[in-house]
Amino acid sequence: MNETLVTLVRGLIGFFTLLILTRLIGKEQISQLTFFEYVLGITIGSIAASLTVDIGVDPWPQWVGLVTWTGAVIALQFITLKFRRAEKYLNGEPTVVIMNGQIMDDALAKMRLKLDEMLQLLRQKGVFDLGEVEFAVMETSGNLSVLKKSEHHPVTCKDLNIPTTYKGLGTELIYDGIIISQNLRQVNLDRQWLDSQLRKQGIADPSEVALAHLDTNGELYIDKYRDRVQNPTDPSDYPGVQ
Amino acid sequence: MSKFIAYLIPALVLTLFAAVLLSPQFLKEPLGPNDDVAAQITTLENDISREDWTHAQADLKTLDNTWQRIVPRIQFGLDRENIDKIDTGIAQLRGAIAARDKGEALVSLNAVKKFWQDIGR
């Protein structure tokens, strides 16, 4: 048995299986995962690692295990998406831990969350004074959502009756030196317009541009490959390789 | 890329992986002449039963060569332990035949036979 070759092949099988299966699971961010989903992720990763390096074990059952766990996650996602009651039952519900400025001690005890831990979560949300909090809700993901009392809300443009302009999503027109024609057509512009804009900034060819981004106000941001910063700030305190 | 192709590629890749991992089931079967381990085990069993040690030695060599030729094509879907067991069984068999020990030779041969049958199960 050629162990190197077997590990290499098994590694590729594990890697691409994991890639495909995690794409199937979806786009949930780490911060949105419930504790159970977090543990599921670790288990699936651990099976994939074992499939790769544990050549003393038959790989087929491990691969089937990997697919089974992912299938179970997808099935659970489908059930919680379709049936609200099942979602509440399986994922739990958000818990109010501060209501009208009062700490709900029973709710904290039920979640086995210490007061110190809740204060820490509040500080992480930028709240250092409990008196500012109207409501705090512990989400199923373990994140704390905080609603401050209205007098502590930051002033917005609306409060001051300041008119604002629409700010939508910008469009990338050049990426990595290549013009994205589809995006150019989407914003009803053409190559001539883009070329003229580039010439205005002294750029002869789009290949000199790393990124060109058009915002909804029609302003074009261009980043060239050749940076013209004379004295770049170096935040490092390590001299590096001379 | 059309939605069909976007789904087809991962489906094909997963099918290919499953085929590689299950390949010992099919690739252990003879693919040409002198490639039939099961038949060679039976021949060797007859040699040992008849205590025909000269033929047994030659047939064991053939069996070992065939096994060494098959290992590279089935190794990706097999655990190392299974391969090691057959290697060890063949080594024990070699010793038993050299010592002309019928009992020990049959025990080792039957162990090899069982490990061979377990491949791809």
Side-chain angles (χ1 to χ4, degrees):
Chain A
M1 184 185 219
N2 187 336
E3 291 181 0
T4 310
L5 190 64
V6 171
T7 310
L8 187 80
V9 170
R10 279 204 192 188
L12 289 173
I13 290 176
F15 178 86
F16 285 105
T17 303
L18 206 57
L19 178 69
I20 292 168
L21 297 181
T22 48
R23 288 284 286 119
L24 281 175
I25 286 175
K27 290 182 178 172
E28 268 182 303
Q29 298 292 309
I30 292 289
S31 59
Q32 293 169 337
L33 294 180
T34 62
F35 180 67
F36 180 57
E37 286 166 333
Y38 176 67
V39 175
L40 281 178
I42 293 172
T43 309
I44 289 170
S46 156
I47 298 172
S50 172
L51 169 70
T52 302
V53 293
D54 201 352
I55 58 170
V57 179
D58 199 353
W60 175 245
Q62 300 195 41
W63 194 78
V64 173
L66 197 60
V67 175
T68 307
W69 275 75
T70 313
V73 174
I74 293 167
L76 219 64
Q77 282 177 341
F78 181 78
I79 290 167
T80 52
L81 200 70
K82 291 282 172 195
F83 308 102
R84 192 165 160 74
R85 279 195 171 192
E87 196 235 328
K88 299 278 177 202
Y89 183 70
L90 292 167
N91 289 343
E93 284 185 290
T95 308
V96 177
V97 288
I98 298 178
M99 193 186 286
N100 297 323
Q102 275 202 325
I103 296 171
M104 301 283 100
D105 297 290
D106 287 346
L108 285 182
K110 229 178 192 175
M111 288 188 300
R112 291 183 292 279
L113 185 73
K114 288 182 219 121
L115 201 56
D116 272 352
E117 288 169 339
M118 193 196 67
L119 292 174
Q120 185 186 337
L121 289 169
L122 280 170
R123 286 195 295 275
Q124 283 168 357
K125 287 279 171 186
V127 178
F128 288 81
D129 180 4
L130 266 173
E132 291 178 9
V133 182
E134 189 84 89
F135 273 91
V137 179
M138 180 60 84
E139 306 293 353
T140 51
S141 61
N143 286 334
L144 192 70
S145 301
V146 180
L147 178 70
K148 285 185 182 177
K149 287 177 179 164
S150 54
E151 62 265 32
H152 294 290
H153 281 192
V155 178
T156 63
C157 291
K158 196 182 172 193
D159 295 331
L160 301 172
N161 288 324
I162 299 170
T164 55
T165 53
Y166 172 73
K167 202 90 177 154
L169 285 175
T171 311
E172 285 167 4
L173 299 181
I174 300 175
Y175 186 86
D176 203 14
I178 296 166
I179 296 173
I180 309 169
S181 311
Q182 187 186 332
N183 288 358
L184 204 56
R185 278 196 302 277
Q186 244 172 33
V187 290
N188 295 321
L189 294 169
D190 55 20
R191 179 71 194 263
Q192 280 78 26
W193 175 85
L194 187 60
D195 284 340
S196 70
Q197 293 295 317
L198 294 179
R199 274 197 300 276
K200 267 186 206 169
Q201 304 219 17
I203 298 164
D205 194 89
S207 61
E208 295 172 34
V209 179
L211 179 73
H213 182 268
L214 185 74
D215 71 16
T216 44
N217 295 330
E219 275 182 42
L220 187 67
Y221 167 85
I222 294 176
D223 178 61
K224 287 184 271 188
Y225 279 114
R226 186 172 291 177
D227 296 321
R228 291 198 176 160
V229 180
Q230 296 294 329
N231 296 308
T233 308
D234 182 7
S236 171
D237 55 0
Y238 168 65
V241 180
Q242 300 296 322
Chain B
M1 193 191 292
S2 76
K3 205 173 176 180
F4 176 70
I5 293 175
Y7 280 97
L8 184 70
I9 292 171
L12 285 178
V13 171
L14 289 180
T15 310
L16 173 75
F17 289 166
V20 170
L21 297 177
L22 288 172
S23 62
Q25 258 180 57
F26 319 104
L27 296 178
K28 74 181 241 191
E29 298 302 328
L31 299 179
N34 295 325
D35 211 27
D36 194 343
V37 169
Q40 288 171 9
I41 288 175
T42 310
T43 309
L44 195 55
E45 206 167 9
N46 291 335
D47 293 340
I48 295 167
S49 299
R50 287 198 313 270
E51 297 191 37
D52 182 352
W53 303 112
T54 317
H55 272 109
Q57 260 174 344
D59 288 336
L60 176 65
K61 199 172 179 190
T62 312
L63 174 68
D64 194 17
N65 288 340
T66 309
W67 167 241
Q68 295 307 329
R69 216 172 36 246
I70 289 175
V71 168
R73 68 181 193 234
I74 60 171
Q75 61 184 346
F76 301 113
L78 214 59
D79 57 300
R80 189 176 51 188
E81 215 169 285
N82 216 327
I83 294 173
D84 287 348
K85 276 178 187 169
I86 294 184
D87 282 338
T88 309
I90 288 174
Q92 282 172 344
L93 198 51
R94 193 175 295 121
I97 290 171
R100 305 192 166 197
D101 183 340
K102 187 179 173 181
E104 183 62 35
L106 284 174
V107 169
S108 301
L109 185 66
N110 274 288
V112 170
K113 195 177 179 178
K114 171 79 173 69
F115 297 142
W116 171 255
Q117 285 167 348
D118 282 349
I119 289 177
R121 272 205 179 160

